[in-house]
Amino acid sequence: MAEGEDEVYENYAWGVFKAANNPPPAAKRGEETVYDSAGHRRFQHLACCLGILCVILLGGIIGLCVYIANLTRDNKNLADQFGNLKQAYNVSESNNTNLSAEVQELKTQKKNLNQKIQNMTTNWNELSISGAQWSIDSYCLAYDDDKCQPCQSGWVEFQSGCYQSNDPYSWKTWEEAREDCQGQNSDLAVARDSEEKEAIYENSFQYYGYWIGLRVEDGRWKWVDGSDLIESSWIDLPTAVEGHCALSVQGGDTWLVSVNCDETQPWICQKKALSLSV
């Protein structure tokens, strides 16, 4: 390099060095300061906005979580209610099925009862016809004449009643004797007055004693028609003994004797005489 060129280069380098060492003017420094302060504020504003957004986002997330939790709980409650309703429905359906079966069973029972009633009505009608025919045969056709009689053949008429004493060698207890009378549409004889007493007495052959419709009930002598024995002199023992019944006898001081109802004796039946129009 030439000597002149070296001098120019040194002068330029020195100027650059001085420029580098010398601070910028005050105006330029103020602009830089203003620029740095504004940027810092903008950064703060941005950071603040970001923080607010984060808080809002966090609140939204928390709210969403709470909402989801409530929704899940409500869904569980609804599911439980649905399960309970379904169970109640199943129980109701089961009860309805049972009720339907019971109703069907009641209908069947009603049908069976109606059938039984119909059968009983038919049987009753047949028995009524048969009974009427039997009455005609026994009260009318059993005699040689053409007239119907108040009492059947083999029965003794007295006032408004018919009496029959059984075979004196066929003995039964009081209850068995009464069943036999009832089987003949009658009952054991009852003496409501002295005339009926005489009719019973006349049918009490010899001294065997015949069951009549008188026994002790609740400490009192009662006839089978429900009336009380009024004439206490008719019985040999005024004191009524439970389980005792009365026998009608001939040839003693009294015509009624108190004995145990389980003993076996003959008996006298009585029924109402047939009313005949002239």
Side-chain angles (χ1 to χ4, degrees):
M1 181 180 295
E3 182 178 352
E5 292 177 356
D6 291 338
E7 185 177 355
V8 173
Y9 175 77
E10 289 177 359
N11 291 334
Y12 174 78
W14 176 254
V16 173
F17 176 78
K18 284 182 67 177
N21 289 333
N22 292 330
K28 190 174 181 179
R29 287 199 303 273
E31 292 177 358
E32 293 176 353
T33 301
V34 172
Y35 174 79
D36 293 339
S37 177
H40 181 67
R41 284 196 297 272
R42 283 195 298 270
F43 177 77
Q44 288 180 339
H45 290 163
L46 181 60
C48 182
C49 291
L50 290 175
I52 293 172
L53 289 176
C54 290
V55 171
I56 294 173
L57 182 61
L58 180 60
I61 292 173
I62 294 174
L64 183 61
C65 291
V66 172
Y67 174 76
I68 292 174
N70 292 334
L71 189 63
T72 302
R73 185 181 64 252
D74 293 341
N75 184 57
K76 184 177 181 301
N77 292 336
L78 288 174
D80 293 339
Q81 293 178 6
F82 176 76
N84 294 335
L85 288 174
K86 186 175 181 180
Q87 184 177 2
Y89 174 78
N90 292 335
V91 172
S92 178
E93 283 293 310
S94 178
N95 293 336
N96 184 51
T97 302
N98 294 335
L99 286 175
S100 298
E102 292 178 0
V103 169
Q104 186 63 36
E105 179 66 21
L106 289 174
K107 288 182 178 179
T108 302
Q109 292 180 2
K110 180 182 178 181
K111 182 179 179 181
N112 293 337
L113 286 175
N114 289 336
Q115 185 63 41
K116 289 181 179 179
I117 292 173
Q118 184 177 356
N119 293 338
M120 291 177 65
T121 302
T122 302
N123 292 336
W124 174 257
N125 293 334
E126 292 176 353
L127 287 174
S128 298
I129 296 173
S130 176
Q133 185 63 48
W134 173 83
S135 297
I136 294 173
D137 293 344
S138 59
Y139 284 89
C140 302
L141 302 182
Y143 298 91
D144 295 334
D145 54 17
D146 295 333
K147 295 180 180 179
C148 295
Q149 302 297 321
C151 296
Q152 298 168 248
S153 178
W155 290 71
V156 177
E157 178 189 359
F158 182 83
Q159 292 183 346
S160 61
C162 300
Y163 298 85
Q164 182 191 61
S165 55
N166 75 302
D167 182 354
Y169 299 102
S170 176
W171 292 12
K172 295 180 182 293
T173 65
W174 189 91
E175 288 289 350
E176 293 172 344
R178 189 180 186 190
E179 289 177 0
D180 179 80
C181 292
Q182 290 174 338
Q184 303 181 70
N185 196 30
S186 62
D187 208 335
L188 289 172
V190 174
R192 301 177 185 83
D193 51 38
S194 58
E195 287 77 10
E196 289 186 338
K197 169 191 171 184
E198 185 66 23
I200 294 174
Y201 182 79
E202 290 297 329
N203 283 278
S204 301
F205 302 108
Q206 299 182 2
Y207 55 86
Y208 295 118
Y210 283 72
W211 290 127
I212 61 173
L214 182 65
R215 65 175 172 179
V216 177
E217 292 184 16
D218 300 326
R220 304 173 64 180
W221 284 102
K222 297 182 74 70
W223 297 100
V224 290
D225 64 358
S227 60
D228 294 329
L229 174 66
I230 299 176
E231 184 56 65
S232 60
S233 61
W234 287 1
I235 199 78
D236 66 334
L237 297 176
T239 302
V241 179
E242 291 293 335
H244 273 222
C245 297
L247 286 175
S248 173
V249 296
Q250 291 182 356
D253 295 333
T254 59
W255 71 286
L256 294 181
V257 179
S258 175
V259 297
N260 192 301
C261 298
D262 291 332
E263 292 188 16
T264 56
Q265 296 289 145
W267 62 94
I268 300 175
C269 299
Q270 177 186 5
K271 67 169 63 177
K272 187 175 179 63
L274 181 66
S275 298
L276 301 175
S277 59
V278 180

